[in-house]
Amino acid sequence: MSPTPPADGLVLRVDEIPGGVGIPGRLSLPRFALYGDGTLIVPADTDGAIPTAQVRHLTKAAVTGLRERARAAGLDTARSYPSQMPDAPVLVVTFGQARTRITDPERSEVARAVTVDLDALEVTGPPTPYSPTTFAVNASPTSTDSAKVRPWPLDPLDSGTPLDMGLCTTYPTARLLPVAGPAGLWTDRGTTYRVFIRPLLPGEPDCAALSR
């Protein structure tokens, strides 16, 4: 189970789906997730191959400014902005209860409303590391001759929930990290998997919440 969302829940979140041929099972953190109390979670460095996140606390004025930009762009109503460009990247913007998909965002005026310099936003104090309580593990079968394949030490990888051409399972941090280590190639019951791991954010209760 993910941490309890801060007061007022999720306000604004921006996810990016890369263009071109996707990597099966890959998990990515959003560009940012903003909550009603000013909590802003952004990607940080990786720990091995596991992405980590950073928590910042925005001032009320900064939160209001982001809300107003999103509302002025019409993001409070769910929409889809398609493109004629094949295999273009996609931005998925969640604003309150509305979710908007913007294909080829570099050509979109709407996308510019949520393309902000996060480092320039006014904060109330220094950033802190995000401490997740739960991680998602997404496993995609693969074939490889690599000698770096390790035996998977936890629940069967084929028992997960389908997610982006992978099979996803969640684990408490205390159970996963001491034994699983970094993401990469693992073998389980005769099958080799490419495994991706990422922390669940507040308001993400399970693997289904990661579908974009």
Side-chain angles (χ1 to χ4, degrees):
M1 186 174 183
S2 63
T4 301
D8 299 330
L10 182 70
V11 171
L12 181 63
R13 171 178 168 139
V14 178
D15 291 271
E16 183 173 10
I17 302 173
V21 179
I23 299 175
R26 183 173 184 176
L27 297 177
S28 300
L29 288 166
R31 283 188 181 179
F32 68 86
L34 173 66
Y35 300 87
D37 66 347
T39 297
L40 182 75
I41 300 179
V42 300
D45 297 327
T46 57
D47 181 7
I50 300 176
T52 63
Q54 184 184 82
V55 179
R56 306 176 186 180
H57 296 283
L58 301 188
T59 63
K60 289 183 179 180
V63 174
T64 298
L66 290 173
R67 284 181 187 266
E68 290 178 350
R69 284 172 62 107
R71 190 172 291 111
L75 291 168
D76 51 352
T77 300
R79 304 175 191 273
S80 180
Y81 294 89
S83 169
Q84 299 301 316
M85 184 176 177
D87 299 325
V90 177
L91 278 191
V92 181
V93 181
T94 305
F95 183 40
Q97 299 299 313
R99 178 173 291 183
T100 296
R101 296 178 66 89
I102 306 169
T103 305
D104 196 10
E106 288 189 0
R107 301 173 184 267
S108 169
E109 289 292 335
V110 176
R112 292 189 179 94
V114 292
T115 303
V116 296
D117 182 356
L118 299 176
D119 293 331
L121 297 173
E122 186 178 12
V123 296
T124 61
T128 58
Y130 175 62
S131 298
T133 59
T134 309
F135 278 83
V137 172
N138 207 26
S140 178
T142 186
S143 57
T144 178
D145 295 327
S146 173
K148 297 182 179 180
V149 178
R150 293 158 289 175
W152 181 250
L154 298 173
D155 302 337
L157 289 171
D158 64 2
S159 63
T161 301
L163 176 69
D164 295 338
M165 295 182 286
L167 294 167
C168 183
T169 308
T170 61
Y171 292 96
T173 299
R175 184 181 178 205
L176 175 73
L177 294 188
V179 294
L185 295 172
W186 298 83
T187 183
D188 185 37
R189 297 193 296 178
T191 301
T192 299
Y193 296 86
R194 187 170 298 278
V195 173
F196 298 92
I197 301 173
R198 91 145 170 87
L200 292 185
L201 301 186
E204 293 179 338
D206 50 32
C207 288
L210 305 184
S211 178
R212 293 290 173 259

